[in-house]
Amino acid sequence: MSQLEISNDNQVYVNTPNDPSPLLEVWRRLKKHKLAMLGGAIIISFIIIALFAPLLTSYPYDGAVLEDRFLPPLSEGHIFGTDDLGRDLFSRIVYGAQISLRVGFLAVVGSVIIGTILGLLAGYYGKWIDMLISRIFDIMLAFPSILLAIAIVTILGRSLTNALLAIAIVNIPTYGRLVRSKVLSLKEEEFVMAAKALGMKNRRIILHHLLPNSLTPVIVQGTLGIATAIIETAALGFLGLGAQPPTPEWGTMLADSKDYIQLAPWTVVLPGISIMLVVLGFNLFGDGLRDVLDPKMKQ
């Protein structure tokens, strides 16, 4: 039950000790979303696998033994079998989880930071700043994201780092436009108008009022964006523009094994299933998070 308290400066405050915090309320509702919990379990499983990769594997991911080429799954000492160079496929998939998750998280963090800053500036200040930033977003969105990423990697050079930068760059407009549209509606709200009337500086209004109230859709989109970033990383790796051999990136593994799909189908199927599972996990969790954070879904 809420209680009124009067401080020494005669200000009245409302004390609500029994009301759950916003984070606890989100967690309470999220626990009831079965698909979100399934997605979260998949994500946590892959994170644990990535963190403890050295403890889970018995072979180095680049240890080639030509005498052990194309051993089938459940062979002695090789639970997932081996590839065309006799490398343990389980080790490569486990270490590949580190790469895919790291690239996914870092690419989304970079896109969110830059996109949020540009979206705040465009939405709040408007005029020529909004026009300039919006036209840049429109130009970038005119190209399919994977083609734009390919062009950027081609210019910068083939490497996993450049692939990460390319994925981060091509996804900036997604978050920028999302924040811009939210700010355009928020800056007309009464609390923002009151802050301006009180003489509050623009920087304080943006950081303390607009930014916190714009983060909900960004968090949801960021969760879904990790899945997209992982797929784009795999696509660039498959095209030979991402991680270079012998780095055990899942897309690169698919490219290396595509010629042996009839001879050793497990070398293609297992990395493909890994990509599918981790993307499914983020999509399920992101959809559940969207349902929980959407005010219309709270009724």
Side-chain angles (χ1 to χ4, degrees), residues 33-44 46 101 223-231 250 271-289:
H33 201 295
K34 295 182 180 180
L35 290 180
M37 287 293 96
L38 175 60
I42 295 174
I43 295 171
I44 292 174
F46 273 96
L101 292 175
T223 305
L224 298 171
I226 294 175
T228 303
I230 291 174
I231 293 177
W250 291 336
I273 290 177
S274 300
I275 295 173
M276 181 200 70
L277 286 176
V278 71
V279 170
L280 176 64
F282 279 106
N283 282 336
L284 290 177
F285 187 77
D287 287 341
L289 198 60

PDB file of all heavy atoms in Angstrom, residues 33-44 46 101 223-231 250 271-289:
ATOM      1  N   HIS A  33       5.629 -16.091 -20.217  1.00  0.00           N
ATOM      2  CA  HIS A  33       5.688 -16.236 -21.675  1.00  0.00           C
ATOM      3  C   HIS A  33       6.558 -17.450 -21.998  1.00  0.00           C
ATOM      4  O   HIS A  33       7.779 -17.384 -21.957  1.00  0.00           O
ATOM      5  CB  HIS A  33       6.266 -14.963 -22.303  1.00  0.00           C
ATOM      6  CG  HIS A  33       5.935 -14.791 -23.747  1.00  0.00           C
ATOM      7  ND1 HIS A  33       6.377 -15.641 -24.729  1.00  0.00           N
ATOM      8  CD2 HIS A  33       5.168 -13.858 -24.385  1.00  0.00           C
ATOM      9  CE1 HIS A  33       5.941 -15.241 -25.904  1.00  0.00           C
ATOM     10  NE2 HIS A  33       5.195 -14.165 -25.725  1.00  0.00           N
ATOM     11  N   LYS A  34       5.929 -18.566 -22.324  1.00  0.00           N
ATOM     12  CA  LYS A  34       6.657 -19.832 -22.478  1.00  0.00           C
ATOM     13  C   LYS A  34       7.656 -19.796 -23.629  1.00  0.00           C
ATOM     14  O   LYS A  34       8.784 -20.300 -23.504  1.00  0.00           O
ATOM     15  CB  LYS A  34       5.663 -20.968 -22.671  1.00  0.00           C
ATOM     16  CG  LYS A  34       4.779 -21.221 -21.454  1.00  0.00           C
ATOM     17  CD  LYS A  34       3.838 -22.387 -21.680  1.00  0.00           C
ATOM     18  CE  LYS A  34       2.962 -22.624 -20.446  1.00  0.00           C
ATOM     19  NZ  LYS A  34       2.030 -23.758 -20.638  1.00  0.00           N
ATOM     20  N   LEU A  35       7.275 -19.208 -24.744  1.00  0.00           N
ATOM     21  CA  LEU A  35       8.189 -19.163 -25.880  1.00  0.00           C
ATOM     22  C   LEU A  35       9.390 -18.270 -25.587  1.00  0.00           C
ATOM     23  O   LEU A  35      10.515 -18.571 -26.004  1.00  0.00           O
ATOM     24  CB  LEU A  35       7.457 -18.664 -27.122  1.00  0.00           C
ATOM     25  CG  LEU A  35       6.422 -19.627 -27.712  1.00  0.00           C
ATOM     26  CD1 LEU A  35       5.757 -19.008 -28.933  1.00  0.00           C
ATOM     27  CD2 LEU A  35       7.065 -20.964 -28.072  1.00  0.00           C
ATOM     28  N   ALA A  36       9.164 -17.187 -24.859  1.00  0.00           N
ATOM     29  CA  ALA A  36      10.280 -16.322 -24.476  1.00  0.00           C
ATOM     30  C   ALA A  36      11.246 -17.068 -23.560  1.00  0.00           C
ATOM     31  O   ALA A  36      12.464 -16.936 -23.685  1.00  0.00           O
ATOM     32  CB  ALA A  36       9.767 -15.056 -23.796  1.00  0.00           C
ATOM     33  N   MET A  37      10.693 -17.849 -22.625  1.00  0.00           N
ATOM     34  CA  MET A  37      11.542 -18.630 -21.735  1.00  0.00           C
ATOM     35  C   MET A  37      12.326 -19.699 -22.501  1.00  0.00           C
ATOM     36  O   MET A  37      13.488 -19.971 -22.195  1.00  0.00           O
ATOM     37  CB  MET A  37      10.680 -19.282 -20.656  1.00  0.00           C
ATOM     38  CG  MET A  37      10.148 -18.317 -19.601  1.00  0.00           C
ATOM     39  SD  MET A  37      11.458 -17.599 -18.553  1.00  0.00           S
ATOM     40  CE  MET A  37      11.754 -16.039 -19.404  1.00  0.00           C
ATOM     41  N   LEU A  38      11.683 -20.282 -23.518  1.00  0.00           N
ATOM     42  CA  LEU A  38      12.392 -21.259 -24.351  1.00  0.00           C
ATOM     43  C   LEU A  38      13.530 -20.575 -25.100  1.00  0.00           C
ATOM     44  O   LEU A  38      14.652 -21.101 -25.156  1.00  0.00           O
ATOM     45  CB  LEU A  38      11.416 -21.903 -25.335  1.00  0.00           C
ATOM     46  CG  LEU A  38      12.028 -22.860 -26.362  1.00  0.00           C
ATOM     47  CD1 LEU A  38      12.729 -24.023 -25.666  1.00  0.00           C
ATOM     48  CD2 LEU A  38      10.962 -23.361 -27.334  1.00  0.00           C
ATOM     49  N   GLY A  39      13.248 -19.411 -25.678  1.00  0.00           N
ATOM     50  CA  GLY A  39      14.295 -18.674 -26.365  1.00  0.00           C
ATOM     51  C   GLY A  39      15.422 -18.274 -25.430  1.00  0.00           C
ATOM     52  O   GLY A  39      16.600 -18.379 -25.783  1.00  0.00           O
ATOM     53  N   GLY A  40      15.070 -17.831 -24.212  1.00  0.00           N
ATOM     54  CA  GLY A  40      16.089 -17.467 -23.235  1.00  0.00           C
ATOM     55  C   GLY A  40      16.951 -18.655 -22.844  1.00  0.00           C
ATOM     56  O   GLY A  40      18.166 -18.517 -22.671  1.00  0.00           O
ATOM     57  N   ALA A  41      16.329 -19.822 -22.715  1.00  0.00           N
ATOM     58  CA  ALA A  41      17.085 -21.029 -22.368  1.00  0.00           C
ATOM     59  C   ALA A  41      18.076 -21.389 -23.469  1.00  0.00           C
ATOM     60  O   ALA A  41      19.226 -21.782 -23.200  1.00  0.00           O
ATOM     61  CB  ALA A  41      16.122 -22.187 -22.118  1.00  0.00           C
ATOM     62  N   ILE A  42      17.649 -21.241 -24.732  1.00  0.00           N
ATOM     63  CA  ILE A  42      18.552 -21.525 -25.848  1.00  0.00           C
ATOM     64  C   ILE A  42      19.724 -20.550 -25.849  1.00  0.00           C
ATOM     65  O   ILE A  42      20.887 -20.947 -26.023  1.00  0.00           O
ATOM     66  CB  ILE A  42      17.781 -21.445 -27.185  1.00  0.00           C
ATOM     67  CG1 ILE A  42      16.727 -22.549 -27.261  1.00  0.00           C
ATOM     68  CG2 ILE A  42      18.752 -21.562 -28.368  1.00  0.00           C
ATOM     69  CD1 ILE A  42      15.825 -22.458 -28.478  1.00  0.00           C
ATOM     70  N   ILE A  43      19.429 -19.262 -25.630  1.00  0.00           N
ATOM     71  CA  ILE A  43      20.491 -18.246 -25.614  1.00  0.00           C
ATOM     72  C   ILE A  43      21.482 -18.517 -24.493  1.00  0.00           C
ATOM     73  O   ILE A  43      22.705 -18.483 -24.705  1.00  0.00           O
ATOM     74  CB  ILE A  43      19.874 -16.845 -25.460  1.00  0.00           C
ATOM     75  CG1 ILE A  43      19.020 -16.495 -26.676  1.00  0.00           C
ATOM     76  CG2 ILE A  43      20.964 -15.797 -25.254  1.00  0.00           C
ATOM     77  CD1 ILE A  43      18.209 -15.233 -26.506  1.00  0.00           C
ATOM     78  N   ILE A  44      20.969 -18.782 -23.306  1.00  0.00           N
ATOM     79  CA  ILE A  44      21.841 -19.043 -22.156  1.00  0.00           C
ATOM     80  C   ILE A  44      22.699 -20.280 -22.404  1.00  0.00           C
ATOM     81  O   ILE A  44      23.888 -20.319 -22.053  1.00  0.00           O
ATOM     82  CB  ILE A  44      21.010 -19.192 -20.873  1.00  0.00           C
ATOM     83  CG1 ILE A  44      20.369 -17.847 -20.501  1.00  0.00           C
ATOM     84  CG2 ILE A  44      21.871 -19.690 -19.716  1.00  0.00           C
ATOM     85  CD1 ILE A  44      19.416 -17.933 -19.341  1.00  0.00           C
ATOM     86  N   PHE A  46      23.808 -21.439 -25.269  1.00  0.00           N
ATOM     87  CA  PHE A  46      24.901 -21.121 -26.192  1.00  0.00           C
ATOM     88  C   PHE A  46      25.935 -20.214 -25.534  1.00  0.00           C
ATOM     89  O   PHE A  46      27.130 -20.322 -25.824  1.00  0.00           O
ATOM     90  CB  PHE A  46      24.347 -20.468 -27.450  1.00  0.00           C
ATOM     91  CG  PHE A  46      23.931 -21.460 -28.506  1.00  0.00           C
ATOM     92  CD1 PHE A  46      22.614 -21.875 -28.611  1.00  0.00           C
ATOM     93  CD2 PHE A  46      24.859 -21.993 -29.384  1.00  0.00           C
ATOM     94  CE1 PHE A  46      22.228 -22.794 -29.570  1.00  0.00           C
ATOM     95  CE2 PHE A  46      24.493 -22.912 -30.354  1.00  0.00           C
ATOM     96  CZ  PHE A  46      23.163 -23.316 -30.445  1.00  0.00           C
ATOM     97  N   LEU A 101      28.303 -15.180 -31.340  1.00  0.00           N
ATOM     98  CA  LEU A 101      27.702 -14.379 -30.282  1.00  0.00           C
ATOM     99  C   LEU A 101      28.447 -13.065 -30.082  1.00  0.00           C
ATOM    100  O   LEU A 101      27.826 -12.014 -29.875  1.00  0.00           O
ATOM    101  CB  LEU A 101      27.673 -15.173 -28.975  1.00  0.00           C
ATOM    102  CG  LEU A 101      26.729 -16.380 -28.943  1.00  0.00           C
ATOM    103  CD1 LEU A 101      26.896 -17.142 -27.642  1.00  0.00           C
ATOM    104  CD2 LEU A 101      25.279 -15.935 -29.111  1.00  0.00           C
ATOM    105  N   THR A 223      17.388  -6.965 -29.431  1.00  0.00           N
ATOM    106  CA  THR A 223      17.368  -8.407 -29.199  1.00  0.00           C
ATOM    107  C   THR A 223      17.145  -9.165 -30.500  1.00  0.00           C
ATOM    108  O   THR A 223      17.827 -10.157 -30.784  1.00  0.00           O
ATOM    109  CB  THR A 223      16.263  -8.767 -28.190  1.00  0.00           C
ATOM    110  OG1 THR A 223      16.451  -8.009 -26.992  1.00  0.00           O
ATOM    111  CG2 THR A 223      16.302 -10.241 -27.850  1.00  0.00           C
ATOM    112  N   LEU A 224      16.187  -8.692 -31.291  1.00  0.00           N
ATOM    113  CA  LEU A 224      15.942  -9.312 -32.590  1.00  0.00           C
ATOM    114  C   LEU A 224      17.097  -9.048 -33.543  1.00  0.00           C
ATOM    115  O   LEU A 224      17.404  -9.884 -34.404  1.00  0.00           O
ATOM    116  CB  LEU A 224      14.635  -8.775 -33.182  1.00  0.00           C
ATOM    117  CG  LEU A 224      13.358  -9.066 -32.387  1.00  0.00           C
ATOM    118  CD1 LEU A 224      12.184  -8.295 -32.974  1.00  0.00           C
ATOM    119  CD2 LEU A 224      13.059 -10.566 -32.373  1.00  0.00           C
ATOM    120  N   GLY A 225      17.744  -7.896 -33.387  1.00  0.00           N
ATOM    121  CA  GLY A 225      18.847  -7.540 -34.267  1.00  0.00           C
ATOM    122  C   GLY A 225      20.061  -8.422 -34.095  1.00  0.00           C
ATOM    123  O   GLY A 225      20.851  -8.589 -35.034  1.00  0.00           O
ATOM    124  N   ILE A 226      20.253  -8.998 -32.909  1.00  0.00           N
ATOM    125  CA  ILE A 226      21.377  -9.914 -32.709  1.00  0.00           C
ATOM    126  C   ILE A 226      21.225 -11.127 -33.617  1.00  0.00           C
ATOM    127  O   ILE A 226      22.204 -11.596 -34.218  1.00  0.00           O
ATOM    128  CB  ILE A 226      21.459 -10.339 -31.233  1.00  0.00           C
ATOM    129  CG1 ILE A 226      21.809  -9.140 -30.352  1.00  0.00           C
ATOM    130  CG2 ILE A 226      22.507 -11.439 -31.047  1.00  0.00           C
ATOM    131  CD1 ILE A 226      21.802  -9.451 -28.869  1.00  0.00           C
ATOM    132  N   ALA A 227      19.991 -11.630 -33.729  1.00  0.00           N
ATOM    133  CA  ALA A 227      19.740 -12.761 -34.627  1.00  0.00           C
ATOM    134  C   ALA A 227      20.075 -12.379 -36.066  1.00  0.00           C
ATOM    135  O   ALA A 227      20.708 -13.154 -36.801  1.00  0.00           O
ATOM    136  CB  ALA A 227      18.284 -13.203 -34.508  1.00  0.00           C
ATOM    137  N   THR A 228      19.657 -11.187 -36.475  1.00  0.00           N
ATOM    138  CA  THR A 228      19.960 -10.727 -37.828  1.00  0.00           C
ATOM    139  C   THR A 228      21.457 -10.588 -38.050  1.00  0.00           C
ATOM    140  O   THR A 228      21.979 -10.964 -39.108  1.00  0.00           O
ATOM    141  CB  THR A 228      19.273  -9.375 -38.091  1.00  0.00           C
ATOM    142  OG1 THR A 228      17.866  -9.510 -37.883  1.00  0.00           O
ATOM    143  CG2 THR A 228      19.532  -8.897 -39.509  1.00  0.00           C
ATOM    144  N   ALA A 229      22.160 -10.059 -37.064  1.00  0.00           N
ATOM    145  CA  ALA A 229      23.611  -9.883 -37.181  1.00  0.00           C
ATOM    146  C   ALA A 229      24.318 -11.226 -37.305  1.00  0.00           C
ATOM    147  O   ALA A 229      25.292 -11.359 -38.062  1.00  0.00           O
ATOM    148  CB  ALA A 229      24.142  -9.118 -35.971  1.00  0.00           C
ATOM    149  N   ILE A 230      23.847 -12.238 -36.583  1.00  0.00           N
ATOM    150  CA  ILE A 230      24.461 -13.568 -36.666  1.00  0.00           C
ATOM    151  C   ILE A 230      24.258 -14.161 -38.054  1.00  0.00           C
ATOM    152  O   ILE A 230      25.175 -14.766 -38.632  1.00  0.00           O
ATOM    153  CB  ILE A 230      23.871 -14.485 -35.575  1.00  0.00           C
ATOM    154  CG1 ILE A 230      24.345 -14.020 -34.199  1.00  0.00           C
ATOM    155  CG2 ILE A 230      24.271 -15.938 -35.809  1.00  0.00           C
ATOM    156  CD1 ILE A 230      23.700 -14.757 -33.048  1.00  0.00           C
ATOM    157  N   ILE A 231      23.048 -13.979 -38.615  1.00  0.00           N
ATOM    158  CA  ILE A 231      22.785 -14.474 -39.967  1.00  0.00           C
ATOM    159  C   ILE A 231      23.668 -13.747 -40.981  1.00  0.00           C
ATOM    160  O   ILE A 231      24.234 -14.378 -41.899  1.00  0.00           O
ATOM    161  CB  ILE A 231      21.301 -14.300 -40.309  1.00  0.00           C
ATOM    162  CG1 ILE A 231      20.433 -15.217 -39.440  1.00  0.00           C
ATOM    163  CG2 ILE A 231      21.045 -14.602 -41.787  1.00  0.00           C
ATOM    164  CD1 ILE A 231      18.959 -15.055 -39.662  1.00  0.00           C
ATOM    165  N   TRP A 250      30.721 -20.198 -38.211  1.00  0.00           N
ATOM    166  CA  TRP A 250      29.758 -21.151 -38.762  1.00  0.00           C
ATOM    167  C   TRP A 250      29.528 -20.961 -40.252  1.00  0.00           C
ATOM    168  O   TRP A 250      29.425 -21.933 -41.000  1.00  0.00           O
ATOM    169  CB  TRP A 250      28.438 -21.057 -37.997  1.00  0.00           C
ATOM    170  CG  TRP A 250      28.531 -21.559 -36.597  1.00  0.00           C
ATOM    171  CD1 TRP A 250      29.438 -22.462 -36.111  1.00  0.00           C
ATOM    172  CD2 TRP A 250      27.708 -21.200 -35.490  1.00  0.00           C
ATOM    173  NE1 TRP A 250      29.234 -22.684 -34.778  1.00  0.00           N
ATOM    174  CE2 TRP A 250      28.174 -21.923 -34.366  1.00  0.00           C
ATOM    175  CE3 TRP A 250      26.637 -20.331 -35.332  1.00  0.00           C
ATOM    176  CZ2 TRP A 250      27.584 -21.809 -33.108  1.00  0.00           C
ATOM    177  CZ3 TRP A 250      26.040 -20.207 -34.083  1.00  0.00           C
ATOM    178  CH2 TRP A 250      26.510 -20.940 -32.978  1.00  0.00           C
ATOM    179  N   PRO A 271      26.707 -27.291 -38.510  1.00  0.00           N
ATOM    180  CA  PRO A 271      26.830 -25.821 -38.407  1.00  0.00           C
ATOM    181  C   PRO A 271      25.525 -25.109 -38.761  1.00  0.00           C
ATOM    182  O   PRO A 271      25.186 -24.091 -38.147  1.00  0.00           O
ATOM    183  CB  PRO A 271      27.931 -25.485 -39.421  1.00  0.00           C
ATOM    184  CG  PRO A 271      28.703 -26.740 -39.573  1.00  0.00           C
ATOM    185  CD  PRO A 271      27.709 -27.854 -39.426  1.00  0.00           C
ATOM    186  N   GLY A 272      24.785 -25.647 -39.738  1.00  0.00           N
ATOM    187  CA  GLY A 272      23.510 -25.038 -40.101  1.00  0.00           C
ATOM    188  C   GLY A 272      22.508 -25.093 -38.965  1.00  0.00           C
ATOM    189  O   GLY A 272      21.776 -24.117 -38.704  1.00  0.00           O
ATOM    190  N   ILE A 273      22.464 -26.227 -38.271  1.00  0.00           N
ATOM    191  CA  ILE A 273      21.562 -26.353 -37.124  1.00  0.00           C
ATOM    192  C   ILE A 273      21.973 -25.397 -36.011  1.00  0.00           C
ATOM    193  O   ILE A 273      21.113 -24.808 -35.337  1.00  0.00           O
ATOM    194  CB  ILE A 273      21.559 -27.813 -36.618  1.00  0.00           C
ATOM    195  CG1 ILE A 273      20.866 -28.715 -37.633  1.00  0.00           C
ATOM    196  CG2 ILE A 273      20.862 -27.911 -35.259  1.00  0.00           C
ATOM    197  CD1 ILE A 273      20.869 -30.180 -37.251  1.00  0.00           C
ATOM    198  N   SER A 274      23.259 -25.208 -35.822  1.00  0.00           N
ATOM    199  CA  SER A 274      23.732 -24.274 -34.792  1.00  0.00           C
ATOM    200  C   SER A 274      23.259 -22.858 -35.085  1.00  0.00           C
ATOM    201  O   SER A 274      22.782 -22.147 -34.187  1.00  0.00           O
ATOM    202  CB  SER A 274      25.264 -24.315 -34.717  1.00  0.00           C
ATOM    203  OG  SER A 274      25.725 -25.611 -34.396  1.00  0.00           O
ATOM    204  N   ILE A 275      23.385 -22.435 -36.348  1.00  0.00           N
ATOM    205  CA  ILE A 275      22.909 -21.107 -36.730  1.00  0.00           C
ATOM    206  C   ILE A 275      21.408 -20.999 -36.497  1.00  0.00           C
ATOM    207  O   ILE A 275      20.909 -20.004 -35.952  1.00  0.00           O
ATOM    208  CB  ILE A 275      23.250 -20.827 -38.203  1.00  0.00           C
ATOM    209  CG1 ILE A 275      24.765 -20.774 -38.399  1.00  0.00           C
ATOM    210  CG2 ILE A 275      22.624 -19.501 -38.655  1.00  0.00           C
ATOM    211  CD1 ILE A 275      25.182 -20.679 -39.861  1.00  0.00           C
ATOM    212  N   MET A 276      20.679 -22.034 -36.910  1.00  0.00           N
ATOM    213  CA  MET A 276      19.225 -22.010 -36.774  1.00  0.00           C
ATOM    214  C   MET A 276      18.802 -21.905 -35.317  1.00  0.00           C
ATOM    215  O   MET A 276      17.905 -21.120 -34.973  1.00  0.00           O
ATOM    216  CB  MET A 276      18.625 -23.282 -37.381  1.00  0.00           C
ATOM    217  CG  MET A 276      17.110 -23.346 -37.318  1.00  0.00           C
ATOM    218  SD  MET A 276      16.466 -25.023 -37.489  1.00  0.00           S
ATOM    219  CE  MET A 276      16.985 -25.752 -35.928  1.00  0.00           C
ATOM    220  N   LEU A 277      19.447 -22.649 -34.435  1.00  0.00           N
ATOM    221  CA  LEU A 277      19.048 -22.665 -33.031  1.00  0.00           C
ATOM    222  C   LEU A 277      19.300 -21.320 -32.348  1.00  0.00           C
ATOM    223  O   LEU A 277      18.440 -20.809 -31.623  1.00  0.00           O
ATOM    224  CB  LEU A 277      19.784 -23.786 -32.288  1.00  0.00           C
ATOM    225  CG  LEU A 277      19.306 -25.209 -32.567  1.00  0.00           C
ATOM    226  CD1 LEU A 277      20.186 -26.218 -31.832  1.00  0.00           C
ATOM    227  CD2 LEU A 277      17.854 -25.384 -32.150  1.00  0.00           C
ATOM    228  N   VAL A 278      20.478 -20.768 -32.548  1.00  0.00           N
ATOM    229  CA  VAL A 278      20.791 -19.513 -31.858  1.00  0.00           C
ATOM    230  C   VAL A 278      19.930 -18.371 -32.400  1.00  0.00           C
ATOM    231  O   VAL A 278      19.466 -17.508 -31.633  1.00  0.00           O
ATOM    232  CB  VAL A 278      22.301 -19.191 -31.971  1.00  0.00           C
ATOM    233  CG1 VAL A 278      22.693 -18.777 -33.373  1.00  0.00           C
ATOM    234  CG2 VAL A 278      22.696 -18.110 -30.974  1.00  0.00           C
ATOM    235  N   VAL A 279      19.660 -18.364 -33.701  1.00  0.00           N
ATOM    236  CA  VAL A 279      18.777 -17.340 -34.270  1.00  0.00           C
ATOM    237  C   VAL A 279      17.349 -17.533 -33.763  1.00  0.00           C
ATOM    238  O   VAL A 279      16.656 -16.560 -33.425  1.00  0.00           O
ATOM    239  CB  VAL A 279      18.828 -17.390 -35.811  1.00  0.00           C
ATOM    240  CG1 VAL A 279      17.736 -16.509 -36.418  1.00  0.00           C
ATOM    241  CG2 VAL A 279      20.191 -16.937 -36.311  1.00  0.00           C
ATOM    242  N   LEU A 280      16.916 -18.778 -33.687  1.00  0.00           N
ATOM    243  CA  LEU A 280      15.579 -19.065 -33.146  1.00  0.00           C
ATOM    244  C   LEU A 280      15.467 -18.593 -31.708  1.00  0.00           C
ATOM    245  O   LEU A 280      14.443 -18.018 -31.306  1.00  0.00           O
ATOM    246  CB  LEU A 280      15.302 -20.570 -33.233  1.00  0.00           C
ATOM    247  CG  LEU A 280      13.975 -21.049 -32.620  1.00  0.00           C
ATOM    248  CD1 LEU A 280      12.790 -20.466 -33.378  1.00  0.00           C
ATOM    249  CD2 LEU A 280      13.910 -22.581 -32.614  1.00  0.00           C
ATOM    250  N   GLY A 281      16.502 -18.821 -30.921  1.00  0.00           N
ATOM    251  CA  GLY A 281      16.477 -18.397 -29.522  1.00  0.00           C
ATOM    252  C   GLY A 281      16.300 -16.895 -29.384  1.00  0.00           C
ATOM    253  O   GLY A 281      15.465 -16.420 -28.608  1.00  0.00           O
ATOM    254  N   PHE A 282      17.064 -16.116 -30.143  1.00  0.00           N
ATOM    255  CA  PHE A 282      16.952 -14.661 -30.050  1.00  0.00           C
ATOM    256  C   PHE A 282      15.616 -14.169 -30.594  1.00  0.00           C
ATOM    257  O   PHE A 282      15.044 -13.205 -30.072  1.00  0.00           O
ATOM    258  CB  PHE A 282      18.109 -13.990 -30.796  1.00  0.00           C
ATOM    259  CG  PHE A 282      19.383 -13.940 -29.999  1.00  0.00           C
ATOM    260  CD1 PHE A 282      20.442 -14.779 -30.301  1.00  0.00           C
ATOM    261  CD2 PHE A 282      19.512 -13.063 -28.940  1.00  0.00           C
ATOM    262  CE1 PHE A 282      21.617 -14.737 -29.568  1.00  0.00           C
ATOM    263  CE2 PHE A 282      20.690 -13.012 -28.195  1.00  0.00           C
ATOM    264  CZ  PHE A 282      21.738 -13.854 -28.515  1.00  0.00           C
ATOM    265  N   ASN A 283      15.104 -14.810 -31.638  1.00  0.00           N
ATOM    266  CA  ASN A 283      13.809 -14.394 -32.178  1.00  0.00           C
ATOM    267  C   ASN A 283      12.681 -14.668 -31.190  1.00  0.00           C
ATOM    268  O   ASN A 283      11.797 -13.827 -30.988  1.00  0.00           O
ATOM    269  CB  ASN A 283      13.531 -15.110 -33.496  1.00  0.00           C
ATOM    270  CG  ASN A 283      14.290 -14.499 -34.656  1.00  0.00           C
ATOM    271  OD1 ASN A 283      14.661 -13.327 -34.627  1.00  0.00           O
ATOM    272  ND2 ASN A 283      14.534 -15.283 -35.684  1.00  0.00           N
ATOM    273  N   LEU A 284      12.691 -15.835 -30.567  1.00  0.00           N
ATOM    274  CA  LEU A 284      11.651 -16.156 -29.588  1.00  0.00           C
ATOM    275  C   LEU A 284      11.716 -15.226 -28.383  1.00  0.00           C
ATOM    276  O   LEU A 284      10.687 -14.726 -27.909  1.00  0.00           O
ATOM    277  CB  LEU A 284      11.794 -17.616 -29.134  1.00  0.00           C
ATOM    278  CG  LEU A 284      11.460 -18.694 -30.159  1.00  0.00           C
ATOM    279  CD1 LEU A 284      11.727 -20.083 -29.574  1.00  0.00           C
ATOM    280  CD2 LEU A 284      10.008 -18.588 -30.610  1.00  0.00           C
ATOM    281  N   PHE A 285      12.930 -14.992 -27.896  1.00  0.00           N
ATOM    282  CA  PHE A 285      13.075 -14.106 -26.731  1.00  0.00           C
ATOM    283  C   PHE A 285      12.706 -12.672 -27.092  1.00  0.00           C
ATOM    284  O   PHE A 285      12.058 -11.969 -26.303  1.00  0.00           O
ATOM    285  CB  PHE A 285      14.508 -14.168 -26.210  1.00  0.00           C
ATOM    286  CG  PHE A 285      14.709 -13.430 -24.921  1.00  0.00           C
ATOM    287  CD1 PHE A 285      14.277 -13.980 -23.719  1.00  0.00           C
ATOM    288  CD2 PHE A 285      15.321 -12.191 -24.899  1.00  0.00           C
ATOM    289  CE1 PHE A 285      14.449 -13.305 -22.520  1.00  0.00           C
ATOM    290  CE2 PHE A 285      15.506 -11.506 -23.703  1.00  0.00           C
ATOM    291  CZ  PHE A 285      15.065 -12.058 -22.519  1.00  0.00           C
ATOM    292  N   GLY A 286      13.103 -12.219 -28.276  1.00  0.00           N
ATOM    293  CA  GLY A 286      12.764 -10.864 -28.691  1.00  0.00           C
ATOM    294  C   GLY A 286      11.269 -10.672 -28.871  1.00  0.00           C
ATOM    295  O   GLY A 286      10.719  -9.634 -28.475  1.00  0.00           O
ATOM    296  N   ASP A 287      10.593 -11.661 -29.442  1.00  0.00           N
ATOM    297  CA  ASP A 287       9.137 -11.572 -29.593  1.00  0.00           C
ATOM    298  C   ASP A 287       8.450 -11.527 -28.231  1.00  0.00           C
ATOM    299  O   ASP A 287       7.497 -10.761 -28.022  1.00  0.00           O
ATOM    300  CB  ASP A 287       8.618 -12.764 -30.397  1.00  0.00           C
ATOM    301  CG  ASP A 287       8.981 -12.663 -31.877  1.00  0.00           C
ATOM    302  OD1 ASP A 287       9.298 -11.545 -32.328  1.00  0.00           O
ATOM    303  OD2 ASP A 287       8.962 -13.698 -32.566  1.00  0.00           O
ATOM    304  N   GLY A 288       8.924 -12.355 -27.309  1.00  0.00           N
ATOM    305  CA  GLY A 288       8.345 -12.340 -25.965  1.00  0.00           C
ATOM    306  C   GLY A 288       8.595 -11.032 -25.249  1.00  0.00           C
ATOM    307  O   GLY A 288       7.712 -10.499 -24.572  1.00  0.00           O
ATOM    308  N   LEU A 289       9.791 -10.486 -25.407  1.00  0.00           N
ATOM    309  CA  LEU A 289      10.115  -9.210 -24.780  1.00  0.00           C
ATOM    310  C   LEU A 289       9.256  -8.087 -25.356  1.00  0.00           C
ATOM    311  O   LEU A 289       8.814  -7.199 -24.621  1.00  0.00           O
ATOM    312  CB  LEU A 289      11.599  -8.901 -24.996  1.00  0.00           C
ATOM    313  CG  LEU A 289      12.245  -7.854 -24.083  1.00  0.00           C
ATOM    314  CD1 LEU A 289      12.155  -8.275 -22.637  1.00  0.00           C
ATOM    315  CD2 LEU A 289      13.697  -7.638 -24.487  1.00  0.00           C
TER     316      LEU A 289
END
